[in-house]
Amino acid sequence: MGLTRERIVDAAYAVLDEQGLSGLSMRRVAQDLDVRPGALYYHVANKQELLAEVAARILDGMPVAADARRGACDLRDALRRVRDGAEVVSFVLAFRPEGLAPSRAFPGLFADRLPAREARWAARTLVHYVLGAVAEEQNRTELVRTGIVADEPGRADEADEAFGFGLDAVLHGLGRG
Amino acid sequence: MGLTRERIVDAAYAVLDEQGLSGLSMRRVAQDLDVRPGALYYHVANKQELLAEVAARILDGMPVAADARRGACDLRDALRRVRDGAEVVSFVLAFRPEGLAPSRAFPGLFADRLPAREARWAARTLVHYVLGAVAEEQNRTELVRTGIVADEPGRADEADEAFGFGLDAVLHGLGRG
DNA sequence: ACCTGAACACCGTTCAAGT
DNA sequence: ACCTGAACACCGTTCAAGT
């Protein structure tokens, strides 16, 4: 069965969901595809490029939001769908600014009342907030999973409430409250 | 010369500032201290613990802020003082929540007008914003340094302006604008 | 064109043995 | 108590050689 870029991204995504970002190695992906590590490099330049592809897939199903609040909630949902989703997207955003869906779509959600560069800043503020909040949530989940920290009852509910609180504040401050 | 936990943290901090987070390995720290890697583990449990110590040092000089705006600006200054400072602190915040200075001090800056748990959420919102903004800034610097992306004139000024814009929004939304 | 085999230059961590 | 020597189980990446 021929190796393709797409099959590699599929396998990487599966490893991410099962093992988390720390378990996502090129060697592990290769092993799952019954192939030697070197073979991957015929289809993908390096691990960064593969991670960028995985990040794009995480954000792929995001609907086109009608307003900033929906956009933020859709982003949160997309990130939460896979283990360590926020961490992966943050990492890719670091070396591929403007490469991912929200960086392109979110400024438009502020363009009606803000000049272009301020709309970009507003979009970044919102994205930073969502990524930070979801990353904290998922890292907590990771710590619970490893047993380093005990699970608390109502943790998920509090996370939702806390996210809502911060989102309301950020949106209000950006003129959408 | 006897190895101590403090000398190890010093060396790690120096490596971070010179090589960035990606260059900060236990082996590199050991080499700079003229010692075998295994020796470090007599004074430090593992790399995570060492990174936590480095993060604490990054935030060490932070003054006690009178209000949320000053706190945010002080945090930004502290993070910017060392290469990849935001990334290190974010990483440590992930597995040591409540372990670092801002997590302990910032809620108090909102406690006068918000109930305790909302004050905590407000503090987290603010910290997420600052960490995200500075991380983006520093990653950009890193990309420029590597030559992957060209430096633009006025980049630093725009970063300051963008930070101010987002900070104003977040603070206003949190009732401090 | 596509993949293997094998290597290179690294990692974090452990642990018997030395002093 | 503190450090070395040496190993274990990994990494990402490259590249001649095979098909």
Side-chain angles (χ1 to χ4, degrees), chain B residues 25-27 41 46-47:
Chain B
S25 68
M26 298 299 273
R27 297 180 107 100
Y41 291 84
N46 48 40
K47 191 179 178 181

Side-chain angles (χ1 to χ4, degrees), chain A residues 2-3 27 35-36 38-39 42-43:
Chain A
L3 205 55
R27 296 179 107 100
V35 115
R36 305 288 151 189
Y42 195 86
H43 303 273

Side-chain angles (χ1 to χ4, degrees), chain A residues 88-110:
Chain A
V88 172
V89 171
S90 293
F91 182 76
V92 172
L93 215 60
F95 64 88
R96 289 248 166 129
E98 311 304 312
L100 296 178
S103 302
R104 290 197 306 270
F106 277 29
L109 302 172
F110 295 96

Side-chain angles (χ1 to χ4, degrees), chain A:
Chain A
M1 168 96 118
L3 205 55
T4 52
R5 196 177 167 91
E6 209 196 340
R7 285 190 62 219
I8 294 172
V9 178
D10 287 345
Y13 186 94
V15 173
L16 177 65
D17 206 33
E18 283 157 27
Q19 318 280 340
L21 182 54
S22 70
L24 176 47
S25 68
M26 298 298 275
R27 296 179 107 100
R28 177 66 207 252
V29 171
Q31 196 186 320
D32 286 7
L33 290 166
D34 265 309
V35 115
R36 305 288 151 189
L40 301 178
Y41 291 85
Y42 195 86
H43 303 273
V44 150
N46 49 40
K47 191 179 180 181
Q48 284 204 2
E49 193 179 292
L50 177 54
L51 280 175
E53 215 77 66
V54 171
R57 168 148 322 179
I58 291 174
L59 301 171
D60 220 25
M62 270 186 70
V64 265
D67 59 276
R69 159 166 268 111
R70 274 246 56 79
C73 291
D74 290 343
L75 175 56
R76 179 175 184 243
D77 290 343
L79 296 173
R80 279 158 49 102
R81 215 162 271 130
V82 66
R83 199 162 150 190
D84 288 337
E87 204 119 27
V88 172
V89 171
S90 293
F91 182 76
V92 172
L93 215 60
F95 64 88
R96 289 248 166 129
E98 311 304 312
L100 296 178
S103 302
R104 290 197 306 270
F106 277 29
L109 302 172
F110 295 96
D112 55 336
R113 286 190 217 155
L114 292 175
R117 68 190 226 132
E118 292 187 8
R120 271 199 311 274
W121 294 344
R124 271 146 62 173
T125 300
L126 189 58
V127 169
H128 287 155
Y129 170 67
V130 176
L131 284 173
V134 178
E136 181 175 340
E137 236 184 292
Q138 290 183 321
N139 284 321
R140 182 106 195 157
T141 306
E142 226 46 40
L143 292 179
V144 169
R145 195 193 307 259
T146 346
I148 295 174
V149 88
D151 200 2
E152 291 159 29
R155 189 177 56 85
D157 288 353
E158 225 224 82
D160 286 351
E161 260 191 286
F163 180 77
F165 177 87
L167 181 59
D168 285 343
V170 172
L171 289 174
H172 183 253
L174 294 171
R176 315 280 147 147

